[in-house]
Each structure stands twice: as structure tokens, then as C-alpha cells.
Amino acid sequence: MIEVRKLVKRFGRQAAVGGEDGAGVDLDARSGQVTALLGPNGAGKSTTIKVITGLIRATSGSARVGGVDVARDPVRAKAALGYVPDRPYLYPKLTGRELLRFLGRLRGVREAERKAEAWLARFDLKQVQNERIETYSHGMRQKLTFCAALLHDPPALVIDEPMVGLDPRAAILVRTLMREAAEDGRTVLLTTHQIDVAEATADRVVLMHRGRVAADGTLAELRARVDDPGARLEAIFMRLTEDAAA
């Protein structure tokens, strides 16, 4: 499980997450579920993700992965995470296979070569596995990033805008993988601007607006909140962000 408690992140005087009153953000992504973190641009989603993954430190509050505090024990917390950023940052002079071999050794992954082979095959990258990453298209780099994130069988996945640059076949595969991971008992935290992806994939939705959580619940619970049992997630999103802005 991923747990965020009373999270505040300020950049100078600007509160990116937690609100100007410093009340902070509470957020849970539970084992066996896909949790979609949605919100308009500037809502605080990416900052929250960066705190969870240990890329930046919170001003106050905490983030835990599997009960491990990310700030106090970052190595153990990160070992439990597979992270797919919205922009893949990979070593361009390595081949795809070399990158996975390097990561397998770095993380001490058992049977890393076999697992790398399986993921490269599943993402249809075997034909380019021995070519330098600098020659890959954006979509191919995104697929390789998924291979890297999944190589060590992490109990938690954090996936930021996963569909960027993916062709339709790969996008379907990613949706399938997220559901498979949840059904296998893993925690999946997804951020996306593609509300149809969240609606089709997520068990729960956390809606952020202006650095705070505006709503949190299943689709049925969010429909009840807007008093519309047939509402699509897009309509709920618009209603609740308008209400939060009022």
C-alpha cells in the first residue's frame, strides 16, 4: 500500500500540495487495486508522485510504501516501487537489453535475464533489444521503461501518464497489465489526463484540485456524490472541480 499523510510541499511561498492553510493531503493507494489520481493541470498530482517516489522531499507530512517511510528509508521504499514517469529518462548509449541487464544487477534481481527476455517479448521490443536506446522512438522508450519498472516484480507500481506515445496495441497491453497487477495483489497508482483510461481501469479515483483532495472513492461513490447514478467520470470530474473552485 502507498500511504500519504498530511503532505505539504512548498516551492518558496507557493504551496504546490497541501493548500495555503497547510492542512496537507491524505491519500491511500491500496493493495489489489488500481487507484487513479486525476486533476487539472497544476492540481499537485506530479508533485505528489515525486514525493512518493523519493524524487523530491516533502516540506512536511509523510509518504510510505509498504509501511516504509520514503524520506527515512529511501532505498528500501524505492525497492518496493516500479516507477514509470511521463517522460522516460534512459541511458541513450546503452542498448535496451544492456539497460535491463544493468538494472537487474543493480537491484539484485533473480533470473534477471529470463525476466528481461519475457518483458521485451511482451512489449514487442525483441527486434530492437540490441540497438542503442538513442535510436528508439518515444513510444519504444516508453515501452522499455515499463520493462525496467516491472523487471524486479515490485509490489507497488506508480505510473505517470502511461499512454503518452504508445500505439493502440501497446496502450491496450498497458491497461491489461495494470489490471493484472491489481488482481495479483499489487498496488497500482496511476496518473493520467485520459479520463477514459481511468474510467476503464481504476477501482478508485482520487481527484486533486488546487493542491488538495477534492474527492476520493469508487465510481459508484463519486456518482452518488454528484447525485447522478449514470454519470460518466468526465462529467463527475467537471462537476467536482467546479465545486472545488467555487
Side-chain angles (χ1 to χ4, degrees), residues 117-126 147 173 176-177 180:
E117 184 86 8
W119 284 119
L120 288 166
R122 191 158 189 192
F123 277 97
D124 196 26
L125 290 173
K126 288 192 70 174
C147 294
L173 173 59
T176 300
L177 285 171
E180 287 178 354

Side-chain angles (χ1 to χ4, degrees), residues 59-204:
T59 303
S60 62
S62 65
R64 294 176 178 270
V65 180
V68 180
D69 190 290
V70 175
R72 294 179 180 176
D73 196 349
V75 173
R76 195 153 65 99
K78 291 175 184 179
L81 274 177
Y83 175 44
V84 179
D86 58 340
R87 297 181 182 179
Y89 296 99
L90 305 170
Y91 296 104
K93 298 300 181 182
L94 295 181
T95 68
R97 192 55 181 262
E98 286 171 341
L99 175 71
L100 296 184
R101 184 175 295 122
F102 167 69
L103 291 175
R105 290 174 178 172
L106 185 67
R107 291 184 176 275
V109 178
R110 293 182 180 179
E111 300 184 5
E113 289 290 333
R114 179 187 62 79
K115 291 177 180 178
E117 184 86 8
W119 284 119
L120 288 166
R122 191 158 189 192
F123 277 97
D124 196 26
L125 290 173
K126 288 192 70 174
Q127 71 277 13
V128 296
Q129 65 179 320
N130 294 316
E131 296 179 16
R132 287 184 176 181
I133 294 168
E134 64 187 359
T135 68
Y136 287 17
S137 68
H138 178 83
M140 291 163 64
R141 294 182 191 193
Q142 190 77 350
K143 290 192 282 187
L144 183 62
T145 303
F146 269 97
C147 294
L150 293 161
L151 184 66
H152 62 297
D153 298 323
L157 289 169
V158 176
I159 305 173
D160 191 0
E161 291 295 346
M163 305 307 181
V164 176
L166 295 183
D167 58 63
R169 184 183 297 274
I172 292 170
L173 173 59
V174 167
R175 287 199 295 269
T176 300
L177 285 171
M178 286 191 287
R179 288 305 324 159
E180 287 178 354
E183 290 162 11
D184 195 36
R186 302 178 197 273
T187 300
V188 181
L189 179 60
L190 159 72
T191 68
T192 180
H193 284 108
Q194 295 179 276
I195 295 180
D196 59 323
V197 172
E199 189 168 33
T201 309
D203 299 289
R204 289 176 53 252

Side-chain angles (χ1 to χ4, degrees), residues 33-44:
Q33 291 186 351
V34 177
T35 300
L37 181 60
L38 306 181
N41 290 333

Side-chain angles (χ1 to χ4, degrees), residues 198-217:
E199 189 168 33
T201 309
D203 299 289
R204 289 176 53 252
V205 173
V206 177
L207 177 59
M208 289 190 70
H209 189 56
R210 295 184 176 177
R212 303 289 292 275
V213 172
D216 181 354

Side-chain angles (χ1 to χ4, degrees), residues 10 13-23 210-212:
R10 291 182 174 274
R13 295 183 178 179
Q14 179 67 35
V17 174
E20 293 298 336
D21 60 358
R210 295 184 176 177
R212 303 289 292 275

